[in-house]
Every structure is written in structure tokens, then in C-alpha cells.
Coordinates of all heavy atoms in Angstrom, one line a residue:
M29 N 25.5 -22.2 71.5 CA 24.4 -22.0 72.5 C 23.0 -21.9 71.8 O 22.0 -22.4 72.2 CB 24.7 -20.8 73.5 CG 23.7 -20.8 74.6 SD 23.8 -22.2 75.6 CE 22.7 -21.8 76.9
K30 N 23.0 -21.0 70.7 CA 21.8 -20.9 69.9 C 21.3 -22.2 69.3 O 20.1 -22.5 69.3 CB 22.0 -19.8 68.8 CG 22.1 -18.4 69.4 CD 22.3 -17.4 68.1 CE 22.5 -16.2 68.6 NZ 22.5 -15.1 67.5
K31 N 22.2 -23.0 68.9 CA 21.9 -24.3 68.4 C 21.2 -25.1 69.4 O 20.1 -25.9 69.1 CB 23.1 -25.0 67.8 CG 22.8 -26.3 67.0 CD 24.1 -26.8 66.4 CE 23.8 -28.0 65.6 NZ 25.0 -28.5 65.0
F32 N 21.7 -25.1 70.6 CA 21.1 -25.9 71.7 C 19.7 -25.4 72.1 O 18.8 -26.2 72.3 CB 22.0 -25.9 72.9 CG 21.4 -26.5 74.2 CD1 21.3 -27.9 74.3 CD2 20.8 -25.8 75.1 CE1 20.6 -28.5 75.3 CE2 20.2 -26.3 76.3 CZ 20.1 -27.8 76.3
A33 N 19.6 -24.1 72.1 CA 18.2 -23.4 72.4 C 17.2 -23.9 71.3 O 16.1 -24.2 71.7 CB 18.4 -22.0 72.5
F34 N 17.6 -23.8 70.1 CA 16.8 -24.2 69.0 C 16.4 -25.7 69.2 O 15.3 -26.0 69.1 CB 17.3 -23.9 67.7 CG 16.5 -24.5 66.5 CD1 15.4 -23.7 66.2 CD2 16.9 -25.5 65.9 CE1 14.6 -24.1 65.1 CE2 16.1 -26.0 64.9 CZ 15.0 -25.4 64.4
S35 N 17.4 -26.5 69.5 CA 17.1 -27.9 69.5 C 16.1 -28.2 70.7 O 15.1 -29.1 70.6 CB 18.3 -28.7 69.8 OG 19.1 -28.6 68.7
A36 N 16.4 -27.5 71.9 CA 15.5 -27.8 73.0 C 14.1 -27.3 72.7 O 13.1 -27.9 73.1 CB 16.1 -26.9 74.2
A37 N 14.0 -26.0 72.0 CA 12.7 -25.5 71.7 C 12.0 -26.4 70.7 O 10.8 -26.8 70.9 CB 12.8 -24.2 71.0
L38 N 12.6 -27.0 69.8 CA 12.1 -27.9 68.8 C 11.5 -29.2 69.6 O 10.4 -29.6 69.3 CB 13.1 -28.3 67.7 CG 12.5 -29.4 66.6 CD1 11.3 -28.9 65.9 CD2 13.7 -29.7 65.7
F39 N 12.4 -29.7 70.4 CA 12.0 -30.9 71.3 C 10.8 -30.7 72.1 O 9.9 -31.5 72.1 CB 13.2 -31.4 72.1 CG 13.0 -32.6 72.9 CD1 12.8 -33.8 72.2 CD2 12.8 -32.6 74.2 CE1 12.5 -35.0 73.0 CE2 12.6 -33.7 75.1 CZ 12.4 -35.0 74.3
A40 N 10.8 -29.5 72.7 CA 9.6 -29.1 73.6 C 8.4 -29.0 72.8 O 7.3 -29.4 73.2 CB 9.9 -27.9 74.3
S41 N 8.5 -28.4 71.6 CA 7.3 -28.3 70.8 C 6.7 -29.7 70.2 O 5.5 -29.9 70.1 CB 7.5 -27.3 69.6 OG 8.4 -27.9 68.7
L42 N 7.6 -30.6 70.0 CA 7.2 -31.9 69.6 C 6.5 -32.6 70.7 O 5.5 -33.2 70.4 CB 8.4 -32.7 69.1 CG 9.0 -32.3 67.8 CD1 10.2 -33.2 67.5 CD2 8.0 -32.6 66.6
L43 N 7.0 -32.4 71.9 CA 6.4 -33.0 73.0 C 5.0 -32.5 73.3 O 4.0 -33.2 73.7 CB 7.2 -33.0 74.3 CG 8.5 -33.8 74.4 CD1 9.3 -33.4 75.6 CD2 8.2 -35.2 74.3
S44 N 4.8 -31.3 73.1 CA 3.5 -30.7 73.5 C 2.5 -30.7 72.2 O 1.4 -30.3 72.3 CB 3.7 -29.2 73.9 OG 4.2 -28.4 72.8
S45 N 3.0 -31.0 71.0 CA 2.1 -31.0 69.9 C 1.3 -32.4 69.8 O 1.6 -33.3 70.5 CB 3.0 -30.8 68.6 OG 3.7 -32.0 68.3
S46 N 0.5 -32.4 68.9 CA -0.2 -33.7 68.6 C 0.4 -34.5 67.5 O -0.4 -35.2 66.8 CB -1.7 -33.3 68.4 OG -1.8 -32.5 67.2
V47 N 1.6 -34.4 67.4 CA 2.3 -35.1 66.3 C 2.1 -36.6 66.6 O 2.4 -37.1 67.7 CB 3.8 -34.8 66.3 CG1 4.6 -35.6 65.3 CG2 4.0 -33.3 65.9
A48 N 1.8 -37.4 65.6 CA 1.6 -38.9 65.8 C 3.1 -39.5 65.5 O 3.7 -39.2 64.6 CB 0.7 -39.4 64.8
F49 N 3.5 -40.3 66.5 CA 4.8 -41.0 66.5 C 4.4 -42.3 65.8 O 3.5 -42.9 66.1 CB 5.4 -41.0 67.8 CG 6.1 -39.8 68.3 CD1 5.2 -39.0 69.1 CD2 7.2 -39.3 67.8 CE1 5.7 -37.7 69.6 CE2 7.6 -38.0 68.3 CZ 6.8 -37.2 69.2
A50 N 5.4 -42.8 65.1 CA 5.3 -44.1 64.4 C 5.4 -45.2 65.4 O 6.0 -45.1 66.4 CB 6.4 -44.2 63.4
A51 N 4.8 -46.3 65.1 CA 4.8 -47.6 65.8 C 6.2 -48.0 65.9 O 7.0 -47.9 64.9 CB 3.9 -48.5 65.4
T52 N 6.6 -48.7 66.9 CA 7.9 -49.4 67.1 C 7.8 -50.6 66.1 O 6.9 -51.4 66.2 CB 8.1 -49.9 68.4 OG1 8.2 -48.8 69.3 CG2 9.5 -50.6 68.5
E53 N 8.8 -50.7 65.2 CA 8.8 -51.7 64.2 C 9.6 -53.0 64.8 O 10.7 -52.8 65.2 CB 9.4 -51.4 62.9 CG 9.4 -52.5 61.8 CD 9.8 -51.9 60.5 OE1 9.0 -51.2 59.8 OE2 11.0 -52.2 60.1
L54 N 8.9 -54.1 64.8 CA 9.6 -55.4 65.1 C 9.9 -56.2 63.9 O 9.0 -56.5 63.2 CB 8.7 -56.1 66.1 CG 8.2 -55.5 67.3 CD1 7.1 -56.2 68.1 CD2 9.4 -55.1 68.2
S55 N 11.0 -56.7 63.9 CA 11.5 -57.5 62.7 C 11.2 -59.0 63.1 O 11.4 -59.4 64.2 CB 13.0 -57.3 62.4 OG 13.8 -57.6 63.6
M56 N 10.8 -59.7 62.1 CA 10.6 -61.2 62.2 C 11.1 -61.9 61.1 O 10.9 -61.6 60.0 CB 9.1 -61.4 62.3 CG 8.6 -62.9 62.5 SD 6.9 -63.1 62.6 CE 6.8 -64.9 62.5
W57 N 11.8 -63.1 61.5 CA 12.3 -64.1 60.4 C 11.3 -65.3 60.5 O 10.9 -65.8 61.6 CB 13.7 -64.6 60.8 CG 14.7 -63.5 60.4 CD1 14.5 -62.2 59.9 CD2 16.1 -63.7 60.6 NE1 15.8 -61.6 59.8 CE2 16.8 -62.5 60.2 CE3 16.9 -64.7 61.1 CZ2 18.2 -62.3 60.3 CZ3 18.3 -64.6 61.2 CH2 18.9 -63.4 60.7
Y58 N 10.9 -65.7 59.3 CA 10.1 -66.9 59.1 C 10.9 -67.9 58.3 O 11.3 -67.4 57.2 CB 8.7 -66.4 58.6 CG 7.9 -67.7 57.9 CD1 7.3 -68.5 58.8 CD2 7.9 -67.8 56.6 CE1 6.6 -69.6 58.3 CE2 7.1 -68.9 56.1 CZ 6.6 -69.8 56.9 OH 5.9 -70.9 56.4
H59 N 10.8 -69.1 58.5 CA 11.7 -70.1 57.9 C 10.8 -71.1 57.1 O 11.3 -72.2 56.8 CB 12.5 -70.9 58.9 CG 11.8 -71.9 59.6 ND1 10.9 -71.6 60.6 CD2 11.8 -73.2 59.6 CE1 10.5 -72.7 61.2 NE2 11.0 -73.8 60.6
G60 N 9.6 -70.8 56.7 CA 8.8 -71.8 56.0 C 9.3 -72.4 54.8 O 8.7 -73.4 54.3
A61 N 10.2 -71.9 54.2 CA 10.9 -72.5 53.0 C 9.9 -72.8 51.9 O 10.0 -73.9 51.3 CB 11.7 -73.6 53.3
G62 N 9.0 -71.9 51.6 CA 8.1 -72.0 50.4 C 6.8 -72.7 50.7 O 6.0 -72.9 49.8
N63 N 6.5 -73.0 52.0 CA 5.2 -73.6 52.4 C 4.1 -72.5 52.2 O 3.9 -71.7 53.0 CB 5.2 -74.3 53.7 CG 3.9 -74.8 54.1 OD1 2.8 -74.5 53.7 ND2 4.0 -75.9 54.9
E64 N 3.3 -72.5 51.0 CA 2.4 -71.5 50.7 C 1.3 -71.5 51.8 O 0.9 -70.3 52.1 CB 1.8 -71.8 49.3 CG 2.8 -71.5 48.3 CD 2.2 -71.9 46.8 OE1 0.9 -71.6 46.7 OE2 3.0 -72.3 46.0
T65 N 0.8 -72.5 52.3 CA -0.2 -72.4 53.2 C 0.2 -71.8 54.6 O -0.4 -71.0 55.2 CB -0.8 -73.9 53.6 OG1 -1.3 -74.5 52.3 CG2 -1.9 -73.8 54.6
E66 N 1.4 -72.2 55.0 CA 1.9 -71.7 56.2 C 2.2 -70.2 56.1 O 1.9 -69.5 57.1 CB 3.3 -72.4 56.6 CG 3.7 -72.2 58.0 CD 4.7 -73.3 58.4 OE1 4.6 -74.4 58.5 OE2 5.9 -72.7 58.7
I67 N 2.9 -69.8 55.0 CA 3.1 -68.2 54.9 C 1.8 -67.4 54.9 O 1.8 -66.4 55.4 CB 4.1 -68.0 53.8 CG1 4.6 -66.5 53.8 CG2 3.4 -68.3 52.4 CD1 5.4 -66.3 55.0
K68 N 0.8 -68.0 54.3 CA -0.5 -67.4 54.3 C -1.0 -67.2 55.6 O -1.4 -66.1 56.0 CB -1.4 -68.2 53.4 CG -2.7 -67.5 53.0 CD -3.5 -68.4 52.0 CE -4.8 -67.6 51.5 NZ -5.5 -68.5 50.6
I69 N -0.9 -68.2 56.5 CA -1.3 -68.1 57.9 C -0.4 -67.1 58.6 O -1.0 -66.3 59.4 CB -1.3 -69.5 58.6 CG1 -2.4 -70.3 57.9 CG2 -1.5 -69.3 60.0 CD1 -2.3 -71.9 58.3
V70 N 0.9 -67.2 58.5 CA 1.8 -66.2 59.2 C 1.5 -64.8 58.8 O 1.4 -64.0 59.7 CB 3.2 -66.6 58.8 CG1 4.1 -65.6 59.3 CG2 3.7 -68.0 59.5
N71 N 1.3 -64.6 57.5 CA 1.0 -63.1 57.1 C -0.4 -62.7 57.7 O -0.4 -61.6 58.0 CB 0.9 -63.2 55.5 CG 2.3 -63.0 55.0 OD1 3.2 -62.4 55.5 ND2 2.5 -63.7 53.8
Q72 N -1.4 -63.6 57.8 CA -2.6 -63.2 58.5 C -2.5 -63.0 59.9 O -3.0 -62.0 60.3 CB -3.7 -64.3 58.2 CG -5.1 -64.0 58.7 CD -5.6 -62.8 57.9 OE1 -5.6 -62.7 56.7 NE2 -6.0 -61.7 58.6
V73 N -1.6 -63.7 60.6 CA -1.4 -63.4 62.0 C -0.8 -62.0 62.2 O -1.2 -61.2 63.0 CB -0.6 -64.6 62.6 CG1 -0.1 -64.3 63.9 CG2 -1.5 -65.8 62.7
I74 N 0.3 -61.8 61.3 CA 1.0 -60.5 61.4 C -0.1 -59.4 61.1 O -0.1 -58.4 61.7 CB 2.2 -60.5 60.4 CG1 3.2 -61.4 61.0 CG2 2.7 -59.1 60.3 CD1 4.4 -61.7 59.9
S75 N -0.9 -59.4 60.1 CA -1.8 -58.5 59.7 C -2.8 -58.2 60.8 O -3.1 -57.1 61.2 CB -2.5 -59.0 58.4 OG -3.5 -58.0 58.1
D76 N -3.3 -59.4 61.4 CA -4.3 -59.3 62.6 C -3.6 -58.6 63.7 O -4.2 -57.7 64.3 CB -4.7 -60.6 63.0 CG -5.6 -61.2 61.9 OD1 -6.1 -60.6 61.0 OD2 -5.9 -62.5 62.2
F77 N -2.3 -58.8 64.1 CA -1.6 -58.2 65.2 C -1.4 -56.7 64.8 O -1.7 -55.9 65.6 CB -0.2 -59.0 65.4 CG 0.5 -58.2 66.5 CD1 0.2 -58.4 67.8 CD2 1.5 -57.3 66.1 CE1 1.0 -57.8 68.8 CE2 2.3 -56.6 67.0 CZ 2.0 -56.8 68.4
N78 N -0.9 -56.4 63.7 CA -0.6 -55.1 63.3 C -1.9 -54.2 63.3 O -1.9 -53.0 63.7 CB 0.0 -55.0 62.0 CG 1.4 -55.5 62.0 OD1 2.1 -55.6 63.1 ND2 2.1 -55.8 60.8
G79 N -3.0 -54.8 62.9 CA -4.3 -54.1 63.0 C -4.9 -54.0 64.3 O -5.9 -53.2 64.6
S80 N -4.5 -54.7 65.4 CA -5.2 -54.8 66.6 C -4.6 -53.8 67.6 O -5.3 -53.5 68.6 CB -4.9 -56.2 67.3 OG -3.5 -56.4 67.7
Q81 N -3.6 -53.0 67.2 CA -3.1 -52.0 68.1 C -2.1 -51.1 67.3 O -1.9 -51.3 66.2 CB -2.3 -52.7 69.3 CG -1.3 -53.9 68.9 CD -0.1 -53.4 68.2 OE1 0.6 -52.5 68.6 NE2 0.2 -54.0 67.0
T82 N -1.6 -50.0 68.0 CA -0.8 -49.1 67.2 C 0.6 -48.8 67.8 O 1.3 -48.0 67.3 CB -1.6 -47.7 67.3 OG1 -1.8 -47.3 68.6 CG2 -2.9 -47.7 66.5
D83 N 0.9 -49.6 68.8 CA 2.3 -49.5 69.4 C 3.3 -50.1 68.7 O 4.5 -49.7 68.7 CB 2.2 -49.9 70.8 CG 1.3 -49.2 71.8 OD1 1.2 -48.0 71.5 OD2 0.8 -49.7 72.8
Y84 N 3.0 -51.3 68.1 CA 4.1 -52.1 67.3 C 3.5 -52.4 65.9 O 2.4 -52.7 65.7 CB 4.4 -53.4 68.1 CG 4.8 -53.1 69.5 CD1 3.9 -53.1 70.6 CD2 6.2 -52.9 69.8 CE1 4.4 -52.8 71.9 CE2 6.7 -52.5 71.0 CZ 5.7 -52.6 72.1 OH 6.2 -52.3 73.4
T85 N 4.5 -52.7 65.1 CA 4.2 -53.1 63.7 C 5.3 -54.3 63.5 O 6.5 -54.0 63.5 CB 4.5 -52.0 62.7 OG1 3.6 -51.0 63.0 CG2 4.2 -52.6 61.3
V86 N 4.8 -55.4 63.2 CA 5.6 -56.6 62.9 C 6.0 -56.6 61.4 O 5.1 -56.4 60.6 CB 5.1 -58.0 63.3 CG1 5.9 -59.1 62.7 CG2 4.9 -58.0 64.8
K87 N 7.2 -56.6 61.0 CA 7.6 -56.6 59.6 C 8.4 -57.9 59.3 O 9.4 -58.2 59.9 CB 8.5 -55.5 59.3 CG 9.0 -55.5 57.8 CD 9.9 -54.3 57.5 CE 10.2 -54.3 56.1 NZ 11.5 -53.6 55.8
L88 N 7.8 -58.7 58.3 CA 8.4 -60.0 58.0 C 9.6 -59.8 57.1 O 9.6 -59.0 56.2 CB 7.4 -60.8 57.3 CG 7.8 -62.4 57.1 CD1 7.9 -63.0 58.4 CD2 6.6 -63.0 56.3
E89 N 10.8 -60.3 57.5 CA 12.0 -60.1 56.7 C 12.5 -61.4 56.1 O 12.4 -62.5 56.8 CB 13.1 -59.6 57.6 CG 12.8 -58.2 58.2 CD 13.9 -57.6 59.0 OE1 14.9 -58.4 59.3 OE2 13.9 -56.5 59.5
K90 N 13.1 -61.4 54.9 CA 13.6 -62.5 54.2 C 15.0 -62.7 54.9 O 15.7 -61.8 55.2 CB 13.7 -62.4 52.8 CG 12.4 -62.1 52.1 CD 11.8 -63.2 51.6 CE 10.5 -62.8 50.9 NZ 9.5 -63.9 50.8
F91 N 15.4 -64.0 54.9 CA 16.8 -64.3 55.3 C 17.3 -65.5 54.6 O 16.4 -66.3 54.1 CB 17.0 -64.3 56.8 CG 16.4 -65.6 57.5 CD1 17.2 -66.6 57.9 CD2 15.0 -65.7 57.6 CE1 16.6 -67.8 58.4 CE2 14.4 -66.8 58.3 CZ 15.2 -67.8 58.6
P92 N 18.5 -65.9 54.6 CA 19.0 -67.2 53.9 C 18.5 -68.4 54.6 O 19.0 -68.9 55.6 CB 20.6 -67.1 54.0 CG 20.9 -65.7 54.4 CD 19.7 -65.1 55.1
Q93 N 17.4 -69.0 54.0 CA 16.8 -70.1 54.7 C 17.4 -71.5 54.4 O 17.3 -72.4 55.1 CB 15.3 -70.2 54.3 CG 14.5 -69.0 54.8 CD 13.0 -69.1 54.4 OE1 12.5 -70.1 54.3 NE2 12.4 -67.9 54.3
A94 N 18.2 -71.4 53.3 CA 18.9 -72.8 52.9 C 19.8 -73.1 54.0 O 20.1 -74.3 54.3 CB 19.6 -72.5 51.6
A95 N 20.4 -72.2 54.8 CA 21.2 -72.4 55.9 C 20.6 -71.8 57.2 O 21.3 -70.9 57.8 CB 22.7 -71.8 55.6
Y96 N 19.5 -72.2 57.5 CA 18.6 -71.7 58.6 C 19.4 -71.6 59.9 O 19.5 -70.4 60.5 CB 17.5 -72.6 58.8 CG 16.5 -72.3 59.9 CD1 15.9 -71.0 60.0 CD2 16.2 -73.2 60.9 CE1 15.0 -70.7 61.0 CE2 15.3 -72.9 61.9 CZ 14.7 -71.6 61.9 OH 13.8 -71.4 63.1
N97 N 20.0 -72.7 60.3 CA 20.6 -72.7 61.6 C 21.9 -71.7 61.5 O 22.1 -71.0 62.5 CB 21.1 -74.1 62.0 CG 21.7 -74.1 63.4 OD1 21.2 -73.7 64.3 ND2 22.9 -74.8 63.5
D98 N 22.7 -71.9 60.5 CA 23.8 -71.0 60.2 C 23.5 -69.5 60.2 O 24.2 -68.6 60.8 CB 24.6 -71.4 59.0 CG 25.2 -72.8 59.1 OD1 25.4 -73.4 60.1 OD2 25.4 -73.4 58.0
S99 N 22.4 -69.3 59.6 CA 21.9 -67.8 59.5 C 21.6 -67.2 60.9 O 22.1 -66.1 61.2 CB 20.7 -67.7 58.6 OG 20.9 -68.1 57.3
V100 N 20.9 -68.0 61.6 CA 20.6 -67.5 63.0 C 21.8 -67.5 63.8 O 22.0 -66.5 64.6 CB 19.5 -68.5 63.7 CG1 19.2 -68.1 65.1 CG2 18.2 -68.3 62.9
T101 N 22.6 -68.5 63.9 CA 23.8 -68.5 64.7 C 24.7 -67.3 64.3 O 25.3 -66.6 65.2 CB 24.5 -69.8 64.6 OG1 23.6 -70.9 64.9 CG2 25.8 -69.9 65.4
A102 N 24.9 -67.1 63.0 CA 25.8 -66.0 62.6 C 25.2 -64.6 63.0 O 25.9 -63.8 63.4 CB 26.0 -66.0 61.1
A103 N 23.9 -64.4 62.9 CA 23.3 -63.3 63.3 C 23.4 -62.9 64.8 O 23.7 -61.8 65.2 CB 21.8 -63.2 62.8
A104 N 23.2 -64.1 65.4 CA 23.4 -64.0 67.0 C 24.8 -63.5 67.3 O 25.0 -62.6 68.2 CB 23.1 -65.3 67.6
A105 N 25.8 -64.1 66.7 CA 27.2 -63.8 67.0 C 27.5 -62.3 66.6 O 28.3 -61.7 67.3 CB 28.1 -64.7 66.2
A106 N 26.8 -61.9 65.6 CA 27.0 -60.4 65.2 C 26.1 -59.5 65.8 O 26.2 -58.3 65.6 CB 26.8 -60.4 63.7
G107 N 25.3 -59.9 66.8 CA 24.3 -59.0 67.4 C 23.3 -58.5 66.5 O 22.8 -57.4 66.7
K108 N 22.9 -59.3 65.5 CA 21.9 -58.7 64.5 C 20.7 -59.7 64.4 O 20.2 -59.8 63.3 CB 22.5 -58.6 63.2 CG 23.7 -57.6 63.3 CD 24.3 -57.2 62.0 CE 25.3 -56.2 62.0 NZ 25.6 -55.5 60.8
L109 N 20.3 -60.4 65.5 CA 19.1 -61.1 65.4 C 17.9 -60.2 65.2 O 17.9 -59.1 65.8 CB 19.0 -61.9 66.6 CG 19.9 -63.3 66.9 CD1 19.7 -63.8 68.2 CD2 19.4 -64.2 65.8
P110 N 16.8 -60.7 64.6 CA 15.6 -60.0 64.5 C 15.0 -60.1 66.0 O 15.3 -60.7 66.8 CB 14.8 -60.8 63.6 CG 15.2 -62.2 63.7 CD 16.7 -62.1 64.0
D111 N 13.8 -59.2 66.1 CA 13.1 -59.2 67.3 C 12.4 -60.5 67.6 O 12.3 -61.0 68.7 CB 12.1 -58.0 67.3 CG 12.9 -56.7 67.1 OD1 13.7 -56.4 68.0 OD2 12.6 -56.0 66.2
I112 N 11.9 -61.1 66.5 CA 11.1 -62.3 66.6 C 11.6 -63.3 65.6 O 11.8 -62.9 64.4 CB 9.6 -62.0 66.3 CG1 9.0 -60.9 67.2 CG2 8.7 -63.3 66.4 CD1 7.6 -60.4 66.8
I113 N 11.8 -64.6 65.9 CA 12.2 -65.8 65.1 C 11.1 -66.8 65.1 O 10.7 -67.3 66.2 CB 13.5 -66.3 65.5 CG1 14.5 -65.2 65.6 CG2 13.9 -67.3 64.5 CD1 15.9 -65.7 66.1
D114 N 10.6 -67.1 64.0 CA 9.8 -68.4 63.9 C 10.9 -69.6 64.0 O 11.7 -69.6 63.1 CB 9.1 -68.5 62.5 CG 8.4 -69.7 62.2 OD1 7.6 -70.1 63.0 OD2 8.7 -70.2 61.1
V115 N 10.7 -70.4 65.0 CA 11.7 -71.4 65.2 C 11.2 -72.9 64.8 O 10.1 -73.1 64.9 CB 12.3 -71.4 66.6 CG1 12.9 -70.1 66.8 CG2 11.2 -71.6 67.6
D116 N 12.1 -73.7 64.6 CA 12.0 -75.2 64.3 C 12.2 -75.8 65.6 O 13.2 -75.5 66.3 CB 12.9 -75.7 63.3 CG 12.3 -76.2 62.1 OD1 11.0 -76.6 62.2 OD2 12.9 -76.6 61.1
G117 N 11.4 -76.8 66.1 CA 11.6 -77.6 67.2 C 13.0 -78.1 67.5 O 13.5 -78.1 68.6
P118 N 13.6 -78.8 66.5 CA 14.9 -79.5 66.8 C 16.1 -78.4 67.1 O 17.0 -78.9 67.9 CB 15.3 -80.1 65.4 CG 13.9 -80.3 64.8 CD 13.1 -79.2 65.1
V119 N 16.0 -77.3 66.6 CA 17.1 -76.3 66.9 C 16.8 -75.3 68.1 O 17.7 -74.8 68.7 CB 17.5 -75.4 65.7 CG1 18.1 -76.3 64.6 CG2 16.2 -74.6 65.2
M120 N 15.6 -75.3 68.4 CA 15.1 -74.4 69.5 C 15.9 -74.6 70.9 O 16.4 -73.6 71.4 CB 13.6 -74.4 69.8 CG 13.2 -73.5 70.8 SD 11.3 -73.4 70.9 CE 10.9 -75.1 71.0
P121 N 16.0 -75.7 71.3 CA 16.6 -75.9 72.7 C 18.1 -75.5 72.6 O 18.5 -74.8 73.6 CB 16.6 -77.4 72.9 CG 15.4 -77.9 72.1 CD 15.4 -77.0 70.9
G122 N 18.8 -75.7 71.6 CA 20.2 -75.3 71.5 C 20.3 -73.8 71.4 O 21.2 -73.2 72.1
W123 N 19.5 -73.1 70.8 CA 19.4 -71.7 70.7 C 19.1 -71.0 72.0 O 19.6 -70.0 72.5 CB 18.5 -71.1 69.6 CG 19.0 -71.4 68.2 CD1 20.2 -71.9 67.8 CD2 18.2 -71.3 67.0 NE1 20.2 -72.1 66.4 CE2 18.9 -71.7 65.9 CE3 16.9 -70.9 66.7 CZ2 18.5 -71.7 64.6 CZ3 16.4 -70.9 65.5 CH2 17.2 -71.3 64.4
A124 N 18.1 -71.7 72.8 CA 17.7 -71.2 74.0 C 18.9 -71.3 75.0 O 19.3 -70.3 75.7 CB 16.5 -71.8 74.5
W125 N 19.5 -72.4 75.0 CA 20.6 -72.8 75.9 C 21.9 -71.7 75.5 O 22.5 -71.2 76.5 CB 21.1 -74.1 75.7 CG 22.2 -74.5 76.7 CD1 22.2 -74.9 78.0 CD2 23.7 -74.5 76.3 NE1 23.4 -75.1 78.5 CE2 24.3 -75.0 77.5 CE3 24.4 -74.3 75.2 CZ2 25.7 -75.0 77.6 CZ3 25.7 -74.3 75.2 CH2 26.4 -74.8 76.5
A126 N 22.0 -71.4 74.3 CA 23.0 -70.5 73.9 C 22.7 -69.0 74.3 O 23.6 -68.2 74.2 CB 23.4 -70.6 72.4
G127 N 21.5 -68.7 74.7 CA 21.1 -67.4 75.0 C 20.6 -66.6 73.8 O 20.4 -65.4 73.9
Y128 N 20.4 -67.2 72.7 CA 20.0 -66.5 71.5 C 18.5 -66.1 71.6 O 18.0 -65.3 70.8 CB 20.2 -67.3 70.2 CG 21.5 -67.8 69.9 CD1 21.8 -68.9 69.0 CD2 22.7 -67.1 70.4 CE1 23.1 -69.2 68.7 CE2 24.0 -67.5 70.2 CZ 24.2 -68.6 69.3 OH 25.4 -69.0 69.0
M129 N 17.8 -66.9 72.4 CA 16.3 -66.7 72.5 C 15.9 -66.5 73.9 O 16.6 -66.9 74.9 CB 15.6 -68.0 72.1 CG 15.9 -68.4 70.6 SD 15.2 -70.0 70.2 CE 13.4 -69.7 70.5
A130 N 14.7 -65.8 74.0 CA 14.2 -65.6 75.4 C 12.6 -65.8 75.1 O 12.1 -65.5 74.1 CB 14.4 -64.3 75.9
P131 N 12.0 -66.2 76.2 CA 10.4 -66.3 76.0 C 9.8 -65.0 75.7 O 10.2 -64.0 76.1 CB 10.0 -66.9 77.4 CG 11.2 -67.3 78.0 CD 12.3 -66.5 77.5
L132 N 8.8 -65.0 74.8 CA 8.0 -63.8 74.4 C 6.9 -63.8 75.5 O 5.9 -64.6 75.3 CB 7.6 -63.9 73.0 CG 6.8 -62.7 72.5 CD1 7.7 -61.5 72.6 CD2 6.4 -63.1 71.0
T133 N 6.8 -62.9 76.3 CA 5.7 -62.9 77.4 C 4.7 -61.8 77.0 O 4.9 -60.5 77.3 CB 6.4 -62.6 78.7 OG1 7.1 -61.4 78.7 CG2 7.2 -63.7 79.2
V134 N 3.7 -62.1 76.3 CA 2.7 -61.2 75.8 C 1.4 -62.0 76.0 O 1.2 -63.1 76.1 CB 2.8 -60.9 74.3 CG1 4.1 -60.0 74.1 CG2 2.6 -62.1 73.5
D135 N 0.3 -61.1 76.3 CA -1.1 -61.6 76.6 C -1.6 -62.0 75.2 O -1.4 -61.3 74.3 CB -1.9 -60.5 77.3 CG -1.4 -60.4 78.7 OD1 -0.8 -61.2 79.3 OD2 -1.7 -59.3 79.1

């Protein structure tokens, strides 16, 4: 019972304090395969987005790009897709149909 009381007190103090909570991190896969110009633009867009607000932070993650479609399909089957995927036009309809993707509705 003492452990519960301590936990409840700690939780209550955190709620009432001015402790800054970290932004929600969103993972993103980008498949540019070495295109230096494109990755520079993607990094700038991520930097601009991260700097524009404090609720979310986009983090670019590496993944096996040599087998782009296989990587996404395997991650989807394992329930380990990132929050955001940079997609290629030819594979996008199939992934949307399979339910791997949903529209990103942001202003």
C-alpha cells in the first residue's frame, strides 16, 4: 500500500509541476538511395517541421533500401512500420490497398 501511495503522490506532483515533457517522436523512413540533393531537402523539411512546434519530433531512420518493397512489407507484417514513410509512386497503391498506409491529414 505504501508503494501505491508513493507512486500516486509522485504522479500527482509531476502533474502539478512545471516539468517539461518531451515531444512525441515520430519515426520516418526515407528511400532516396544516395540522392544527395533529395536527402538535403528531406533533412531541411524535417528540421523546419521540428523547429516549427514542440509537440512532435520527426527522426529519420535508416532501413534496408536495397530491398525497399520487401523491407516495408516485412515491417508491416511484423507490426513495425515507422510513423511516416517516404514512398515511391509505383508501390504506393499496393501498400495502400493492403492497409499498410493511411493518408496523413495535417494542415
Side-chain angles (χ1 to χ4, degrees):
M29 186 66 170
K30 287 182 183 181
K31 189 174 185 179
F32 174 75
F34 175 74
S35 296
L38 178 61
F39 182 70
S41 70
L42 287 174
L43 287 178
S44 64
S45 72
S46 60
V47 173
F49 290 97
T52 300
E53 186 173 281
L54 302 173
S55 56
M56 178 179 172
W57 285 1
Y58 162 73
H59 77 287
N63 183 324
E64 291 180 29
T65 302
E66 195 171 295
I67 189 62
K68 194 174 183 181
I69 293 168
V70 168
N71 280 325
Q72 185 62 54
V73 169
I74 291 171
S75 179
D76 290 349
F77 175 80
N78 288 344
S80 73
Q81 44 72 52
T82 57
D83 294 333
Y84 302 96
T85 300
V86 174
K87 181 181 177 200
L88 194 59
E89 295 180 353
K90 304 268 185 202
F91 73 102
Q93 295 185 27
Y96 175 60
N97 187 53
D98 293 340
S99 297
V100 172
T101 303
K108 296 187 179 200
L109 282 171
D111 299 302
I112 304 167
I113 303 173
D114 170 57
V115 298
D116 236 350
V119 295
M120 182 178 44
W123 291 348
W125 183 80
Y128 301 161
M129 300 175 58
L132 183 61
T133 54
V134 294
D135 293 334

